Amino acid sequence: VTARGIDINGSMVDVCRQQGLDVAEADALTYLRAQPDGSLGGLFAAQVVEHLEPRYLTSLLDAAFDTLRPGSTIVLETINPACWFAFFESYIRDITHVRPIHPDTLTYLLIATGFQHVDVRYRAPYPEHDKLQPLAPHASLGDAVDTLNANVDKLNGLLFTYLDYAAVARRP
């Protein structure tokens, strides 16, 4: 597959070039608008849309629609804010994120732009052993209490942790 990457981060572009990849330092919207209509066979963006202001995102989708050939695929991968763990443990840690984009919202934006057959594919499932566990059928009262208490501990750790924090540092 012939592919070309773009990034606004010059350092990342240099890393890609050192690996022999075809990459350009460019803003996505400016780059797409400079391409002829129907000239691209596909578009993939990983962990990008959550960094974009709404007006920019909708303009980018419009430009992608115009630039992609009929029948081409667009893939937009992002953190799933419908998963509380992903939102609180990943999304809010990156101060460059503009806003979370719910899967239903991204689906709507793609359809409103003119894309069809939108299929949301979920990746990176939360580990089963970290999920709340059901009570085993016919469990003894002691086992049931242990399972219930372990579930309460998991919920407390996710929902009822510290309300405030202070970062304390010292300059050398």
Side-chain angles (χ1 to χ4, degrees):
V1 173
T2 302
R4 175 166 225 194
I6 62 167
D7 201 309
I8 58 172
N9 183 323
S11 297
M12 293 306 297
V13 169
D14 290 342
V15 168
C16 291
R17 286 183 179 149
Q18 290 169 6
Q19 295 178 16
L21 299 172
D22 182 7
V23 63
E25 185 174 347
D27 168 77
L29 183 56
T30 303
Y31 182 86
L32 286 176
R33 285 181 172 163
Q35 305 308 305
D37 285 355
S39 64
L40 298 181
L43 191 147
F44 173 76
Q47 301 288 315
V48 173
V49 297
E50 68 273 16
H51 294 270
L52 308 177
E53 292 289 343
R55 180 171 287 160
Y56 184 97
L57 175 58
T58 56
S59 295
L60 184 70
L61 293 176
D62 287 337
F65 186 84
D66 292 341
T67 309
L68 287 168
R69 287 192 295 266
S72 296
T73 299
I74 182 171
V75 177
L76 305 173
E77 184 269 349
T78 184
I79 294 170
N80 180 12
C83 172
W84 283 22
F85 184 82
F87 180 77
F88 289 108
E89 290 297 315
S90 296
Y91 181 82
I92 62 174
R93 288 182 186 222
D94 184 342
I95 63 170
T96 66
H97 287 155
V98 171
R99 70 178 28 85
I101 304 190
H102 191 280
D104 293 345
T105 303
L106 192 53
T107 297
Y108 168 78
L109 291 172
L110 286 163
I111 291 169
T113 302
F115 290 98
Q116 298 177 346
H117 309 293
V118 178
D119 179 26
V120 175
R121 299 180 187 181
Y122 294 94
R123 300 285 188 245
Y126 193 78
E128 281 298 319
H129 67 276
D130 288 335
K131 291 181 180 180
L132 300 178
Q133 299 300 309
L135 296 176
H138 312 293
S140 70
L141 181 58
D143 288 341
V145 167
D146 289 345
T147 300
L148 178 64
N149 285 337
N151 287 337
V152 167
D153 289 343
K154 287 178 184 179
L155 278 174
N156 281 334
L158 290 171
L159 302 176
F160 305 110
T161 185
Y162 298 96
L163 299 176
D164 300 307
Y165 76 93
V168 179
R170 177 170 289 130
R171 182 174 186 253

